[in-house]
């Protein structure tokens, strides 16, 4: 028991220590593009699935959970989690089954495993390590008590064989036999699929360590309760991203006439402005077929385009999203192309570019601007002239 607690504590502390080195520069850029900070947020979670005690005679049974919690960053979170309903076990020596009810209450630490190594805000799927500690309450063990009483009566009458399992004082004596309070230690994994800003669905599998008394049979070791559940999570409380203060750029009017005594600094700025008046043509490439977010590299290009827009407010910028024809299908490629174009437009507007200056379109995989390289067509092309 002590060894198990030490292992769980070591794992959790180790995961937390690793998060101190996680880099989140790309996550900040992505938040700017999304228009909100995905973390921190608060959530409500409901789950339903099956449970099973690892002991002879046990069966899969329905179980349900409800939780409330918060992700404090894109790596670390916590929740208050309640799970329960009923579970079944058996006395194989006499071929009978019995069921009882239970509920567990745990405080769980949640660690986003993917974000430990590379911080991201907008992953399609997040994988969480779950580690928790709490209490387990079991009750309504009447079926077990009745089976034991009936067997003892039958054995006395010579019509049955005695129970071979060690059930001595399983849940205590007298009235206490009908209920049990135990520790509950949990480890597990949650794969969470992000549907939208507020909703996600997931699959969670946990191992819960409880008292040896839990299944009403002694085995000289703690019992394990396995749960596998589908989850629906509603997220709320996300905040707006920090505003990016774009570097101010002087206009031509700031320099007045081209006096011969214009200082060197102003001359250099004047040259830069003259260049910015030229047409701009930028391509933002996306490495993965489903990738649509704005990372740090793409944010640099967007910053450049935003500066051009502010220096040329009478010019229109076209933003065209594309997807490669070599992967996926036309339906999903249409979605990815639109998300790429929309995310670039949102990032530009976040930097102060008015929507009226932008013309956004997407082409899915119907048009391939790069015929020599399939992967390059996972892109957004930005043109201003």
């Amino acid at each position: 028991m002590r060894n198990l607690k030490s292992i769980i504590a070591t794992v959790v502390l180790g995961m937390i220590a690793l998060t101190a080195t996680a880099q989140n520069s790309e996550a900040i850029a992505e938040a700017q593009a999304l228009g909100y900070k995905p973390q921190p947020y608060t959530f409500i979670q409901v789950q339903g699935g099956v449970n099973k005690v690892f002991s002879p005679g046990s069966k899969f049974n329905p179980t349900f959970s409800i939780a409330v919690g918060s992700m404090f960053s894109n790596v670390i979170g916590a929740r208050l989690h309640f799970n329960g309903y009923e579970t079944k076990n058996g006395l194989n020596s006499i071929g009978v089954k019995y069921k009882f009810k239970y509920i567990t209450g745990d405080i769980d630490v949640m660690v986003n495993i993917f974000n430990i190594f590379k911080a991201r805000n907008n992953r399609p799927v997040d994988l969480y390590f779950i580690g928790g500690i709490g209490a387990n309450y079991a009750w309504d063990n009447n079926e077990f008590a009745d089976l034991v009483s009936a067997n003892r009566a039958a054995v006395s009458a010579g019509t049955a064989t005695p129970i071979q399992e060690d059930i001595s004082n399983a849940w205590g004596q007298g009235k206490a036999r009908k209920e049990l309070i135990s520790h509950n230690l949990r480890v597990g994994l949650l794969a969470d699929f992000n549907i939208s800003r507020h909703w996600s669905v997931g699959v969670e599998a946990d191992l819960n360590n409880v008292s040896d008394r839990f299944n009403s049979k002694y085995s000289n070791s703690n019992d394990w309760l396995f749960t596998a559940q589908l989850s629906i999570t509603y997220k709320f409380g996300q905040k707006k991203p920090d505003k990016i203060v774009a570097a101010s750029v002087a206009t031509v009017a700031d320099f007045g006439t081209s006096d011969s005594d214009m200082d060197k600094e102003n001359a250099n700025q004047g040259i830069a402005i003259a260049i910015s008046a030229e047409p701009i043509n930028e391509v933002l490439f996306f490495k993965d077929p489903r990738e649509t977010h704005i990372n740090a590299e793409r944010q640099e290009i967007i910053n450049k385009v935003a500066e051009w827009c502010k220096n040329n407010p009478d010019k229109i910028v076209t933003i065209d999203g594309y997807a490669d024809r070599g992967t996926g299908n036309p339906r999903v490629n249409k979605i990815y192309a639109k998300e790429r174009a929309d995310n670039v437009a949102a990032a530009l507007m976040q930097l102060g570019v008015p929507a009226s200056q932008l013309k956004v379109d997407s082409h899915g995989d119907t048009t391939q601007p790069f015929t020599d390289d399939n992967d390059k067509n996972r892109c957004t092309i930005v043109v201003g002239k």
Side-chain angles (χ1 to χ4, degrees), residues 10 17 33 64 137 160 166 204 236 248 256 276 290 292 301 327:
T10 301
F64 305 95
Y137 174 64
D166 184 356
E204 180 172 347
F236 58 96
S248 60
S276 70
R290 298 197 304 173
T292 63
I301 298 175
T327 57

Side-chain angles (χ1 to χ4, degrees), residues 142-265:
N142 295 331
E143 286 190 6
F144 174 80
D146 292 343
L147 287 171
V148 172
S149 297
N151 177 261
R152 287 174 178 170
V155 170
S156 297
T159 59
T161 58
I163 296 171
Q164 299 301 311
E165 290 87 354
D166 184 356
I167 60 170
S168 59
N169 196 29
W171 275 21
Q173 298 284 358
K175 183 180 178 180
R177 178 178 288 279
K178 297 181 179 180
E179 58 187 32
L180 174 72
I181 297 176
S182 163
H183 70 272
N184 193 80
L185 300 177
R186 172 180 297 149
V187 291
L189 291 174
L190 166 64
D192 204 37
F193 299 80
N194 297 303
I195 298 175
S196 67
R197 171 178 178 175
H198 294 294
W199 293 96
S200 65
V201 296
V203 180
E204 180 172 347
D206 297 316
L207 282 175
N208 297 271
N209 181 274
V210 293
S211 168
D212 189 15
R213 296 171 178 264
F214 182 73
N215 63 3
S216 302
K217 299 177 291 186
Y218 283 155
S219 61
N220 295 319
S221 63
N222 288 335
D223 292 333
W224 289 95
L225 175 66
F226 170 76
T227 60
Q229 300 180 91
L230 300 177
S231 67
I232 300 175
T233 304
Y234 176 71
K235 309 170 185 178
F236 58 96
Q238 298 102 328
K239 298 179 181 180
K240 292 182 179 180
D242 296 331
K243 293 182 179 180
I244 296 178
V245 181
S248 60
V249 181
T251 63
V252 176
D254 293 329
F255 300 106
T257 58
S258 54
D259 297 333
S260 58
D261 60 349
M262 177 184 290
D263 60 53
K264 183 177 181 180
E265 180 180 358

Side-chain angles (χ1 to χ4, degrees), residues 39-41 69-79 110:
Q39 290 88 15
Y41 65 83
S70 179
M71 285 300 296
F72 311 125
S73 70
N74 53 21
V75 178
I76 288 289
R79 70 181 183 183
M110 304 175 63

